[in-house]
Amino acid sequence: MRSEELGETLLPKRLALPIFASDPLSSVAYATQEILLVLTVGGTAFLYLTPWIAAAVVALMVVVVLSYRQVVHAYPSGGGSYEVVTRNLGPNAGLVVAASLLVDYVMTVAVSVASGVANVISALPSLAEYRVPMAVGFVVLLTAVNLRGVRESGNAFAAPTYLFIAAVLVMAGTGLVRYLLGDAPVAESARYGIEPEPGHQVIAGFALVMLALRAFASGCTALTGVEAISNGVPAFRPPKSRNAATTMAVMGATAVVMFSGITALALVADVHITEDACQLTGFTGGDCATAVQPTVIAQLAAAVFGGDHSFLFYAVQAVTALVLVLAANTAFNGFPLLASILAEHRYLPRQLHTRGDRLAFSNGIIALALVAGGLLWLYDADVTSLIHLYILGVFTSFTLSQSAMVRHWNRAIREGRSRGATRARVINGLGAVVTGLVLVIVLVTKFTEGAWLAVLAATGLWLLMRGIRRHYDRTAEELAVHDPQDLAVRPARVHGIVLVSRLHKPTLRALNYAEAFRLDTLEALTVAVEPEAVTELREQWGEFDIPVPLKVLDSPYREITRPVVGYVRSVKRGSPQDIVAVFIPEYVVGHWWENALHNQSALWLKSRLLFTPGVMVISVPWQLDSSAHADRPTPRAPGAVRRGEPLLRRKR
């Protein structure tokens, strides 16, 4: 796709919702489960806290959605939290947000895919041993789809997201209607008791508060990905801010309804789930040490629709697994876009700012896939292990961005732009306080369970980005033209050296090419590794009457690179104001394996000479017959169109 076709990739609201909101919408599939897993460490005695914790999560979601609607209107350029914090709190604070979000985007892919695979295994337990290959395979599939471009991925992912929303609403609605009619669905696990974990038989006072806070922190996974819309405002059709704000409101309302419905239905159906199946008293699912417990969604679907072999049960599991995997698409859109902005600001390698053939940020997509795939392999695609690394980054972003928005509205009021600013400041101020408290809760309750790794990764990334920026700044300063006299500085003379191994067509081409430069001096240079070969070369040189003098360097230790580099440096030392141009004949081959058979000496020589000031290295290619295969139609490499490479055709 040509660059001017970028406008054709802009998204209507119906496609933007599944692309940017699939993560917060799908996270309701496991948010309730995470709350229950924490509360059941004390048996069933504390399940009464579930509705209160769920209500707190809903209230927090409302506050965050309202706060980010302000961000969308105030900063529509697409930087989201990073741009807001950088402009209002400074670049260092902005980098904290950026590092936190990049880590959280990686975790979004890992957790979403692992959770999707867990739902597949709930329906088909025989696939449990293929958990990791399935997870990595899903990441590869998501990568391939996203490399096709944003709009194409939206078309591919829209139907599963809307089917998931419909499935959850139908399941929750049906179950709650049955409850109101006196026929409440009952989960299969309702008949099991729960044995408290050792040391948790009696929980009261401060310990009970900490348990409730841990459950709340785990339930806050329902908020992951809420900020993605604010990062992707440029991808919306005009009017961008209004469409993005509308999409965010729809996303928030839908997520609240779904999360509330699942939580209410889980309480009605008396779902019992624990981290260790051996805590379930009366468990009949085989060996509790190796048994795989069905997810909360799976238990609810079986209870509402008549068992775990009904068509609707499999339908709910299928769309849930699919949308959980596709929820990673939020990160596949947010991570490359944020990485592109950071690369533009010289905090990440410039390659991440470049769009690929399909106008997607291909390098960012591939980088995200590699890191997330590595995490899934390292943690065996286990949701419980990965979830502890999650949500810390997103609440760091929430807190700093809302604090930055308060400063933004304060400045607007001082400058007389007070229309609506006071109300907006109150909303963002409330958001900053609430999300700050949640950040502290998450940090305290999850730090020792694995969140320290997320903190360490974000800190390392922050330091890395600052280091990259320093490097780019130093390089720019070094290369900048400060004095117009710099443009007039020219070498006093140019000495040409053509490297020769033996006399053949590539050598003659290099000699002719060097002579065309009309250099001040020109000589051919060879190394006497084998005396017989040098004698033959001298004879051929005289026989063909080549007008360029041939210089022979002795090499008693049969080296090539050291004598050549030493001679070139000696020429440069003799004339510091001069330039030495070294011409190196090279073969152009058609097969990858031929590179191992040719050009090795040239490669080493170039790698050494390029570090020598005042030395220009010029490659003179000679195309071997095998390189003619490049004229056949071949698939173009990523970025080929952008680089102007045509699709080669077979010669007739």
Side-chain angles (χ1 to χ4, degrees):
M1 297 181 70
R2 298 172 64 87
S3 296
E4 53 266 28
E5 296 179 77
L6 184 61
E8 298 178 16
T9 67
L10 297 180
L11 301 170
K13 294 189 289 293
R14 62 178 177 81
L15 290 182
L17 183 67
I19 286 178
F20 290 112
S22 56
D23 180 22
L25 291 177
S26 65
S27 60
V28 301
Y30 54 82
T32 300
Q33 176 171 311
E34 292 305 315
I35 294 173
L36 296 176
L37 284 172
V38 173
L39 293 179
T40 53
V41 299
T44 59
F46 303 104
L47 292 180
Y48 73 91
L49 295 172
T50 304
W52 301 104
I53 293 170
V57 172
V58 167
L60 179 62
M61 183 176 292
V62 171
V63 171
V64 170
V65 169
L66 290 176
S67 300
Y68 268 98
R69 278 172 57 86
Q70 308 296 331
V71 174
V72 165
H73 286 295
Y75 293 92
S77 60
S81 299
Y82 166 69
E83 181 182 3
V84 173
V85 175
T86 299
R87 289 195 183 185
N88 294 283
L89 300 180
N92 285 334
L95 278 188
V96 171
V97 169
S100 300
L101 283 177
L102 290 176
V103 171
D104 217 65
Y105 280 137
V106 172
M107 295 311 306
T108 294
V109 176
V111 171
S112 297
V113 170
S115 185
V117 170
N119 275 273
V120 171
I121 293 172
S122 291
L124 302 169
S126 60
L127 296 178
E129 60 182 303
Y130 304 107
R131 183 186 298 270
V132 174
M134 286 170 61
V136 174
F138 282 135
V139 171
V140 172
L141 177 62
L142 284 167
T143 303
V145 174
N146 276 279
L147 287 173
R148 291 293 301 167
V150 175
R151 189 178 180 89
E152 282 76 3
S153 65
N155 288 325
F157 299 159
T161 303
Y162 287 120
L163 284 173
F164 171 71
I165 294 172
V168 169
L169 293 179
V170 168
M171 180 184 71
T174 302
L176 293 175
V177 167
R178 285 180 53 185
Y179 169 73
L180 294 174
L181 295 177
D183 180 28
V186 179
E188 181 185 4
S189 62
R191 67 178 186 269
Y192 303 144
I194 300 179
E195 185 72 25
E197 289 185 5
H200 294 81
Q201 287 83 357
V202 179
I203 301 177
F206 180 73
L208 180 59
V209 172
M210 290 302 298
L211 179 68
L213 291 178
R214 276 186 59 201
F216 174 67
S218 294
C220 286
T221 54
L223 278 77
T224 54
V226 168
E227 82 292 339
I229 291 177
S230 68
N231 292 333
V233 177
F236 283 80
R237 286 180 178 173
K240 296 178 181 290
S241 293
R242 190 174 72 186
N243 287 337
T246 301
T247 304
M248 182 166 284
V250 172
M251 176 270 296
T254 306
V256 164
V257 171
M258 293 169 66
F259 173 69
S260 302
I262 291 174
T263 304
L265 188 58
L267 293 173
V268 166
D270 200 19
V271 172
H272 290 168
I273 188 168
T274 60
E275 289 192 10
D276 183 3
C278 293
Q279 284 182 252
L280 298 173
T281 58
F283 182 69
T284 57
D287 184 5
C288 65
T290 58
V292 178
Q293 297 178 75
T295 61
V296 167
I297 286 285
Q299 293 191 45
L300 293 178
V304 171
F305 297 124
D308 57 5
H309 294 290
S310 64
F311 170 77
L312 289 178
F313 166 80
Y314 284 112
V316 170
Q317 286 303 100
V319 295
T320 301
L322 186 56
V323 81
L324 281 168
V325 172
L326 298 185
N329 196 57
T330 297
F332 271 103
N333 283 279
F335 182 98
L337 182 58
L338 179 57
S340 169
I341 294 171
L342 290 167
E344 184 181 10
H345 295 172
R346 295 181 295 179
Y347 288 114
L348 286 178
R350 293 287 178 85
Q351 295 90 329
L352 293 172
H353 182 57
T354 306
R355 292 183 183 269
D357 287 349
R358 299 293 300 177
L359 297 178
F361 294 109
S362 307
N363 293 328
I365 291 171
I366 293 172
L368 173 62
L370 290 174
V371 179
L375 272 177
L376 286 166
W377 174 78
L378 185 64
Y379 284 90
D380 294 326
D382 181 59
V383 178
T384 304
S385 300
L386 291 166
I387 205 75
H388 297 307
L389 309 179
Y390 206 20
I391 79 173
L392 186 65
V394 76
F395 276 99
T396 302
S397 168
F398 286 168
T399 304
L400 288 176
S401 65
Q402 300 315 306
S403 301
M405 284 300 293
V406 171
R407 178 171 288 189
H408 168 83
W409 296 124
N410 287 339
R411 186 170 59 251
I413 292 172
R414 287 196 305 269
E415 295 173 356
R417 298 180 286 113
S418 58
R419 182 181 178 183
T422 302
R423 179 179 61 86
R425 181 174 62 178
V426 171
I427 293 174
N428 290 127
L430 178 62
V433 172
V434 173
T435 56
L437 289 173
V438 175
L439 175 60
V440 173
I441 292 170
V442 171
L443 191 59
V444 170
T445 58
K446 289 183 173 288
F447 190 82
T448 58
E449 296 179 354
W452 65 271
L453 280 172
V455 174
L456 184 64
T459 303
L461 189 55
W462 185 84
L463 293 171
L464 176 64
M465 290 191 290
R466 280 178 57 88
I468 291 173
R469 176 60 186 262
R470 283 196 299 269
H471 168 78
Y472 277 133
D473 287 347
R474 284 197 303 265
T475 303
E477 177 63 25
E478 182 180 342
L479 301 180
V481 179
H482 298 292
D483 188 349
Q485 293 298 321
D486 293 342
L487 301 174
V489 176
R490 291 179 177 156
R493 295 189 303 169
V494 179
H495 303 279
I497 297 175
V498 179
L499 300 185
V500 177
S501 58
R502 59 181 180 272
L503 191 60
H504 49 22
K505 292 179 180 179
T507 299
L508 295 177
R509 173 177 286 184
L511 289 168
N512 292 332
Y513 183 63
E515 287 184 314
F517 275 74
R518 304 187 185 281
L519 305 165
D520 294 286
T521 64
L522 178 62
E523 62 180 336
L525 183 68
T526 191
V527 180
V529 176
E530 298 178 1
E532 298 82 2
V534 173
T535 301
E536 182 181 355
L537 178 61
R538 288 181 186 275
E539 293 175 354
Q540 291 177 323
W541 212 262
E543 179 183 346
F544 285 93
D545 194 23
I546 297 174
V548 178
L550 176 65
K551 173 75 173 180
V552 179
L553 300 178
D554 290 330
S555 181
Y557 296 103
R558 299 161 302 285
E559 290 183 289
I560 296 177
T561 303
R562 189 189 298 266
V564 170
V565 173
Y567 180 76
V568 171
R569 288 177 175 173
S570 69
V571 173
K572 185 69 182 70
R573 281 195 299 269
S575 307
Q577 301 302 317
D578 295 354
I579 290 293
V580 179
V582 181
F583 297 82
I584 304 179
E586 290 190 58
Y587 302 138
V588 177
V589 299
H591 304 99
W592 63 268
W593 51 266
E594 290 180 283
N595 284 306
L597 307 178
H598 303 286
N599 298 325
Q600 298 305 306
S601 297
L603 182 64
W604 281 106
L605 281 167
K606 283 197 295 185
S607 66
R608 292 288 302 278
L609 291 171
L610 287 173
F611 285 96
T612 306
V615 175
M616 308 296 128
V617 180
I618 303 166
S619 295
V620 183
W622 180 271
Q623 292 78 15
L624 296 177
D625 289 342
S626 65
S627 66
H629 87 285
D631 286 333
R632 302 169 188 165
T634 56
R636 289 171 290 186
V641 172
R642 171 168 33 81
R643 293 189 296 269
E645 299 173 11
L647 178 62
L648 299 174
R649 302 290 181 184
R650 187 188 300 275
K651 290 183 178 179
R652 295 182 180 276

